[in-house]
Amino acid sequence: MEPSSGAGFATVNPATGEHLATVADAGTVDVRHAVAAARRAFPRWAGLSGAERGKYLFRLARIIQERSRELAVLETLDNGKPIKETRDVDLPLVAAHFFYYAGWADKLAWAGAGPDPRPIGVCGQIIPWNFPLLMLAWKIAPALACGNTVVLKPAETTPLTALAFAEICQQAGLPAGVVNIVTGAGETGRALVEHPGVDKIAFTGSTEVGKLIQRSVAGTGKHVTLELGGKAANVIFDDAPIDEAIEGIVNGIFFNQGHVCCAGSRVLVQESIHDDVVRRLKRRLRTLRIGDPLDKNTDLGAINSATQLARITEMVDAGVAEGAQLWQPPCVLPERGWFFPPTVFTGVAQSHRIAREEIFGPVVSVLTFRTPEEAVAKANNTPYGLSAGVWTEKGSRILWMAQRLRAGVVWANTFNRFDPTSPFGGYKESGFGREGGRHGLAAYLESGVG
Ligand code: NDP
């Protein structure tokens, strides 16, 4: 629909600054229309048998696969992430999510939420710009499988793949009103959160906005799940396979330019191997290719917005000012667009801002520890609790660490691995509720958690 105000906003290619499209700026009236459409569609959608809903989801999954090249290019243009990531990581996971939850639609009685679980109703879903289509899949696939209808707001800087998905819903013959996309900035999100006709809010984004949302829904009876920020520790023991651990560090923090809520932004290295690890890490970082995200050889693409680039720059300046040692490989950044070189800080203290605050960019802080107890204490010394990594040869140590790390996901001898069958979510200020796996269904069922 045209926005009621007639207003639109531009979305640009962060790698070039070029204007890509003008998108409808949805105001309160448009949000009201969308929620009303979702409400009208709800009884019929919820009343379908699970097998019928599953058919629609399988159809969405297949069309996503068929159109995956187009969607990968669109995501890279709008977000700035390398095409090899959108093509080989984002899009396969998006399709896998729809396939996985399509399979659950007719098996909800076995989801662990009672023998006759009911959908919640109209779900307002707000997603960030770092994995636009993947976060849409994480939100929409389980919601629809459980019989809910949705109104989803993509981030202001990355609305295009959500709009392409709306087209895919039409292509799949999904009944009108089951999926509604409202594009706009934070105000549009706020209007969605505050709408009394929304039964559940699912949000992924900053801890700051997550807190605002929780305050706003308190006392309204709305269900809420929040997936917020992180400051993950990636712990390297002296018996770890070092070259593999180096790849894990690189993947942990430089994947998607570090715009990852579960990024391994704090590397904790056992003191005896610190110099060796830092030397090998620097050597590896000299080989990373930074530049045109549409070039399939590119490892690091563009920073999503000027605002995010300013935030990364401010945090890196704070790291230098507080006394940490900065290192960046020699590299030539493109003249146009927003880019930031891979950055390593050594000599970092736990009190430094770069060790405490989420930077959401290609910046890693290296700290040291001596004993496993100290590693756990340092890893848990954060208000966040989304993810962690452990690198060691000893299986018993992995289990010992996993039991003590206050993080929703603990990866062992790997990092940033995602799978639709595996629940994902946080402790503490990283939020609550799980997405993915059987646990992800509970967030969209009346008898479930959340
Ligand atoms: P936000 O939390 O502001 O954005 C996430 C989503 O919420 C976007 O769709 C945004 O819209 C929307 N939104 C903004 N304000 C409101 C509101 N008052 N009510 C409802 N919805 C709202 O994150 P930013 O994009 O501003 O990024 C800021 C920082 O947050 C980053 O530097 C990073 O540290 C962290 N972050 C963490 C993420 C994670 O997954 N953990 C994801 C993204 C950011 P719009 O985009 O139009 O503002």
Side-chain angles (χ1 to χ4, degrees):
M1 294 174 65
E2 291 298 319
S4 56
S5 66
F9 63 91
T11 183
V12 300
N13 180 343
T16 61
E18 278 163 2
H19 177 263
L20 289 172
T22 300
V23 179
D25 191 358
T28 314
V29 175
D30 305 298
V31 169
R32 221 182 286 149
H33 282 312
V35 174
R39 177 61 59 199
R40 277 194 302 277
F42 175 63
R44 190 171 154 244
W45 181 250
L48 286 181
S49 70
E52 282 303 313
R53 284 201 306 274
K55 279 189 207 166
Y56 282 109
L57 287 163
F58 277 121
R59 211 178 291 162
L60 291 172
R62 281 196 304 270
I63 300 174
I64 288 166
Q65 276 189 325
E66 280 163 21
R67 293 179 59 173
S68 65
R69 288 299 167 107
E70 169 201 347
L71 293 167
V73 170
L74 190 59
E75 193 81 300
T76 287
L77 283 172
D78 206 16
N79 172 279
K81 63 170 76 188
I83 187 74
K84 75 174 174 193
E85 289 181 11
T86 47
R87 186 194 60 190
D88 299 344
V89 182
D90 295 55
L91 262 297
L93 281 172
V94 170
H97 240 81
F98 276 95
F99 277 117
Y100 176 74
Y101 281 111
W104 266 114
D106 62 351
K107 302 173 191 70
L108 297 176
W110 289 273
D116 186 20
R118 307 272 163 175
I120 293 172
V122 174
C123 300
Q125 306 182 315
I126 299 171
I127 56 171
W129 44 262
N130 54 342
F131 292 92
L133 196 58
L134 185 58
M135 289 303 103
L136 175 149
W138 282 26
K139 298 270 179 291
I140 291 186
L144 296 196
C146 293
N148 303 276
T149 55
V150 305
V151 179
L152 178 130
K153 191 201 90 67
E156 185 185 5
T157 57
T158 54
L160 296 185
T161 45
L163 294 174
F165 178 77
E167 198 181 279
I168 288 172
C169 292
Q170 290 175 325
Q171 202 182 334
L174 197 71
V178 172
V179 169
N180 305 272
I181 309 289
V182 286
T183 46
E187 274 306 298
T188 313
R190 199 160 64 84
L192 185 57
V193 169
E194 290 176 358
H195 193 296
V198 170
D199 302 304
K200 186 223 159 82
I201 293 292
F203 172 79
T204 298
S206 61
T207 296
E208 188 190 346
V209 174
K211 286 181 180 176
L212 288 177
I213 290 176
Q214 203 175 1
R215 267 189 220 115
S216 153
V217 301
T220 63
K222 286 178 191 169
H223 295 239
V224 62
T225 43
L226 302 174
E227 201 265 271
L228 310 174
K231 193 72 192 174
N234 201 359
V235 184
I236 324 286
F237 283 97
D238 60 4
D239 64 344
I242 300 294
D243 285 329
E244 285 166 38
I246 297 295
E247 290 310 306
I249 295 172
V250 171
N251 178 34
I253 187 64
F254 300 114
F255 171 61
N256 200 25
Q257 296 76 241
H259 301 328
V260 183
C261 47
C262 51
S265 51
R266 287 184 299 149
V267 169
L268 300 184
V269 189
Q270 200 149 17
E271 205 174 75
S272 53
I273 56 165
H274 170 270
D275 293 352
D276 188 26
V277 166
V278 170
R279 188 177 49 79
R280 292 197 213 196
L281 179 62
K282 289 179 177 175
R283 192 176 61 196
R284 175 69 177 87
L285 293 184
R286 287 177 202 274
T287 68
L288 287 186
R289 289 154 297 200
I290 303 151
D292 180 5
L294 280 172
D295 181 336
K296 65 186 179 202
N297 295 309
T298 294
D299 297 306
L300 247 78
I303 301 301
N304 182 246
S305 64
T307 314
Q308 190 58 25
L309 182 58
R311 170 159 172 84
I312 296 168
T313 308
E314 192 247 321
M315 287 298 293
V316 167
D317 290 347
V320 174
E322 285 187 312
Q325 282 92 54
L326 171 132
W327 183 88
Q328 292 169 331
C331 61
V332 181
L333 299 183
E335 282 170 13
R336 292 191 304 166
W338 303 302
F339 289 87
F340 199 85
T343 301
V344 178
F345 274 111
T346 49
V348 179
Q350 291 190 84
S351 57
H352 288 165
R353 280 184 68 198
I354 51 170
R356 290 185 289 120
E357 296 179 27
E358 187 175 43
I359 301 177
F360 228 60
V363 182
V364 67
S365 297
V366 181
L367 297 94
T368 57
F369 67 92
R370 289 184 182 165
T371 63
E373 288 77 9
E374 191 187 349
V376 169
K378 284 189 168 168
N380 288 341
N381 184 15
T382 165
Y384 296 110
L386 197 52
S387 65
V390 181
W391 295 80
T392 171
E393 201 181 50
K394 292 190 186 64
S396 57
R397 182 177 279 165
I398 289 169
L399 297 175
W400 189 90
M401 290 289 290
Q403 281 167 352
R404 286 161 181 78
L405 291 169
R406 295 282 293 159
V409 179
V410 179
W411 284 292
N413 293 327
T414 186
F415 210 93
N416 272 342
R417 287 259 175 177
F418 304 98
D419 191 290
T421 65
S422 175
F424 183 90
Y427 284 92
K428 304 193 282 185
E429 291 203 9
S430 293
F432 50 80
R434 293 292 177 264
E435 294 184 295
R438 184 172 61 79
H439 308 68
L441 294 164
Y444 289 99
L445 291 171
E446 194 56 72
S447 48
V449 181

